[in-house]
Structure formats: structure tokens, C-alpha cells
Amino acid sequence: MELLEVPISPVSGNSQIQVTEARHTRKIYYLGGDYNQTASGTILQNQIYVEQLTPAGGVTQPKPLVLLHGGNIAGDLWLNKPDGGRGWASFFLDRGYQVYIPDTWGMGRSGPAADGPRGGGSTVEGAERAFTAPERYNEYYQARFHTQWPGVSFREPTYSYSEWLTDSHKNGSLNDRAFNNFYSRFHPTSVGPEVEGIMRSALCDLLRTYISGQAIFIAHVMGSAYAIQASDACPELVAAHISLEGDQSPFQSYIRASEGIDNPIPYRPYGVSNIPLTFETPVTESSQLRKASVGETTYTEGLLSNVSCVLQQNPANKLVNVAKVPMLFFVGEASVHALYDHCQVAFLRQAGVNVTFTKLADEGVRGNGHFSMLEENSDQIALLVARWIEERLG
């Protein structure tokens, strides 16, 4: 496929990166929304923005992809990496996929969530701890394995590991150019039942109205929760769900685990959702789900390395609609999610969902943090995704 070369500003010394973006055509949509009366007149609220990218050489894959971002960063996450490299949108366009990229309600071009609860977004220090330089903070055992943040590649050939650790400009910290580009994208994040309900409706509207046939969700963190909720509401329209470190642990949130706190808060009362899902035995109140603590919280060399899970008591109530959609679930070797993502996988399997759980390190893909699709080896991970889709779905 013909590629478009886009010059990117220097990232190290006098060097310059030339990025090849996949040629494509673009359409935009605004989905959903409600007309409401205000003192000034009638306004539209709660719509979400979606981009449709079509490869210039034509679509050759039978099912389009819907790329769902998580918290802090909007849909531009998928377009370019913070070092100027090509993102996953180009990777999949080159393979002949049509790609849809929504912005979550209240983020990016989907407008402010004036009445909804909003997280303040991550601080610089929180982003370093959790995403770009966890190895510098050493607050959980797996953090030491993080090597793939693109700032690492900016060091000179003679740059030693010990020198890199003490250089705050080239290691995923403030003033590392890749970090600054990454952090400048951050938004306050809309959270909770309201945004989940809006996104569920909007995603099903996207699948019904603009996509002919089924689509595949590729989702990061909170985006994975929206993919699960849409799979519950319109499973006949979802061919598969690839989850890149889904939205934390069932029934609870380690909201500050990346800052050294290992005591979760209650969250997601329906296990993997803040809004009701379709269970085999109908659940009208979250208290109807019987819970049990499973496994142990463990420490390695004095650092948190694994957390216990809260699952359903057996026999578990099945998620009859979500179970119709096969899932591929990835977790990075050095991500804070390595502490607890096994819990979400266990909950989903208990509820009847066919989940392929892949630890990237087991596939020879080493050193990844939480934003693996932005890191040095992101194409290796995208290739694992593409092969799973094409082998399983054709």
C-alpha cells in the first residue's frame, strides 16, 4: 500500500524521524445525544465523536475495527505514538481494515460531561509511576522489567543503563520529549454509570447505523468496560473483543495501586460494570451477586506482586450475552495491571465468557508497561492481535 511520509520534529540531538502513515480517507460522525430544553433554548447533549478511516487501497478485511481508548487520553491515542511513530490505526489500515475511532463521552471531541463525575486526570508524577517510568519508582515488583517506553531509545549507543536511570530527560519522566508529548494529550476523565450507559448506547448505534455486519472491538482499560457493555446490549453486532489490560479488578478498583497503595476501593458492583448486565438468572440489584474472595495477595522481595480476587461464589451466574463474544485479553510484563488483571479474566471465565488470556512476556514480547500500544515494540503486539483475529475469524 502507498504510504504518506510525514516529517516529525527532532526527538534527539539533530536527528529527525520520518513517519510513514497509511494513506486513507476519513469521515466523521457524531452519534447519539439528547435534545434538551434550557433557559436559552434547545440544545443537543451527550453525543460522541467518531472517525471512520478507510484504507486508500480499499478494504480487504471482512470485519472493521472499533478502537476504544481508556482514561486520560482520547481517540488520538491510536493515531501517532508520542515519539512521532505510527500508531495502531496505520498498522491496521495497512492490513486492509476499516477503522473507527470514537472519543469517549466527555473527552476529546465528544464534548464536556458537564453533569457527570469526572476524574481530574493523572498528575505528571502519577503518569510516570503508572505508565511511563514505573521502574524508577519501584512500587511493585514487576515494574523493574519495564524497558519499552520510547524515551529509552533516545539514548546514545554508549549510554549505560545506570546513566539512563539517572537522566530525567530520557527515561519516561518530565522533559523526556516523548513523555511531554504523551502527557500533553491528557484529559480529565468521565467515569461512572452515566458515561457507561451513554457509551453503551452510542457504540450499539455505531454498529447498527454505520457498520454493515459485525465489528471487532480493540479496547484499552475503560474502553474494555464499554466493549463489554456493548457486547451485552447488542452481542449480535460484535464479532470479538480484544482487551488491552481491561478495566481493573472485579467489584473493586486499585485506583492508587500504582502509587504504592494496595488496598482497593469498592467499584463495579456488577463485577466488570457499574451498570446492570444480562445474567442468566436476572440481577436487578448488585447485591444479588454472591461474592467470594479467591487467592492471596503476595509480595516478592518486599514489593506487591499479586493481589487476591473478588469473584462470584460458585456456581456463578452467567453473562449470557457477553459470553456470545470471544475475547483476547493481553497484559504487559511490567504493567501495574500484571498485579490484578488475572482477576477480571477469572471473573469472565466464571461467567461463561471464552477468554484467551495472553501474558505478553509468554509470547516473547518483553518489557511493556500499561500503554503498550505506544511503546517501542507496539507493532509486535499489534501483529499478535491481527493474527488472532485473522486465524479465529477469517
Side-chain angles (χ1 to χ4, degrees):
M1 176 172 293
E2 185 180 12
L3 299 177
L4 174 64
E5 291 196 349
V6 181
I8 301 297
S9 59
V11 294
S12 179
N14 295 319
S15 64
Q16 185 156 333
I17 294 177
Q18 294 291 322
V19 177
T20 53
E21 292 290 347
R23 285 192 178 274
H24 62 272
T25 58
R26 181 178 70 141
K27 294 181 181 179
I28 67 168
Y29 310 104
Y30 280 90
L31 302 180
D34 307 296
Y35 285 98
N36 294 299
Q37 293 294 324
T38 70
S40 302
T42 304
I43 62 171
L44 179 65
Q45 295 176 303
N46 301 333
Q47 68 273 32
I48 71 163
Y49 173 90
V50 181
E51 289 192 6
Q52 174 190 303
L53 308 181
T54 303
V59 175
T60 60
Q61 299 288 349
K63 294 179 174 61
L65 307 179
V66 180
L67 307 184
L68 299 172
H69 67 86
N72 291 308
I73 292 182
D76 58 0
L77 164 80
W78 306 104
L79 299 176
N80 295 109
K81 301 199 295 185
D83 64 348
R86 67 205 308 260
W88 275 22
S90 278
F91 179 92
F92 286 104
L93 286 166
D94 274 349
R95 292 184 77 91
Y97 287 94
Q98 189 160 69
V99 173
Y100 294 82
I101 305 176
D103 283 349
T104 295
W105 176 66
M107 296 182 67
R109 285 164 286 192
S110 290
D115 301 323
R118 286 164 69 81
S122 179
T123 62
V124 165
E125 295 78 12
E128 291 173 353
R129 283 187 180 99
F131 308 142
T132 63
E135 68 281 7
R136 289 178 60 83
Y137 290 84
N138 202 34
E139 292 184 335
Y140 57 95
Y141 177 73
Q142 292 88 336
R144 67 189 63 193
F145 303 121
H146 187 232
T147 60
Q148 292 293 341
W149 180 253
V152 177
S153 70
F154 297 165
R155 63 180 185 256
E156 299 302 323
T158 58
Y159 217 70
S160 71
Y161 181 73
S162 61
E163 288 172 325
W164 169 71
L165 280 176
T166 59
D167 186 344
S168 63
H169 298 285
K170 296 187 177 182
N171 62 0
S173 298
L174 184 64
N175 294 325
D176 169 347
R177 288 185 180 92
F179 176 86
N180 290 354
N181 288 340
F182 172 69
Y183 189 73
S184 66
R185 304 182 186 191
F186 274 37
H187 302 264
T189 300
S190 299
V191 296
E194 186 174 16
V195 63
E196 291 176 13
I198 289 170
M199 288 302 297
R200 175 181 61 188
S201 297
L203 289 174
C204 287
D205 185 23
L206 171 65
L207 300 181
R208 288 193 183 100
T209 306
Y210 295 98
I211 296 177
S212 176
Q214 294 183 317
I216 299 163
F217 288 130
I218 298 179
H220 187 227
V221 209
M222 288 170 53
S224 185
Y226 307 145
I228 286 172
Q229 290 151 358
S231 297
D232 183 65
C234 51
E236 71 283 2
L237 301 176
V238 184
H241 171 195
I242 291 87
S243 177
L244 306 174
E245 304 198 346
D247 197 14
Q248 291 210 14
S249 192
F251 300 110
Q252 53 192 0
S253 177
Y254 289 85
I255 190 167
R256 296 190 64 198
S258 57
E259 298 179 31
I261 296 175
D262 53 9
N263 294 312
I265 61 172
Y267 200 59
R268 288 177 287 275
Y270 295 94
V272 289
S273 175
N274 285 299
I275 57 177
L277 299 171
T278 306
F279 286 90
E280 186 173 42
T281 300
V283 173
T284 56
E285 297 289 340
S286 60
S287 59
Q288 295 172 304
L289 291 173
R290 299 174 301 123
K291 294 180 284 186
S293 181
V294 177
E296 295 182 358
T297 295
T298 59
Y299 295 79
T300 302
E301 298 181 15
L303 294 171
L304 184 65
S305 57
N306 185 78
V307 302
S308 62
C309 306
V310 178
L311 305 178
Q312 292 189 71
Q313 292 182 24
N314 286 318
N317 203 351
K318 305 300 184 184
L319 286 167
V320 291
N321 285 348
V322 178
K324 297 173 184 177
V325 178
M327 285 185 65
L328 173 63
F329 197 116
F330 281 118
V331 64
E333 178 182 29
S335 172
V336 68
H337 277 243
L339 301 174
Y340 43 68
D341 272 1
H342 61 281
C343 295
Q344 185 171 145
V345 171
F347 177 91
L348 291 166
R349 286 175 171 171
Q350 213 187 17
V353 183
N354 181 4
V355 185
T356 301
F357 185 36
T358 300
K359 297 180 179 180
L360 289 175
D362 292 344
E363 299 297 318
V365 181
R366 308 297 301 273
N368 287 104
H370 182 50
F371 277 87
S372 58
M373 76 293 289
L374 300 180
E375 295 193 309
E376 285 286 340
N377 58 354
S378 61
D379 279 2
Q380 287 182 265
I381 303 164
L383 185 59
L384 290 175
V385 172
R387 286 174 175 168
W388 186 87
I389 291 171
E390 291 157 20
E391 290 172 5
R392 186 179 185 97
L393 303 177

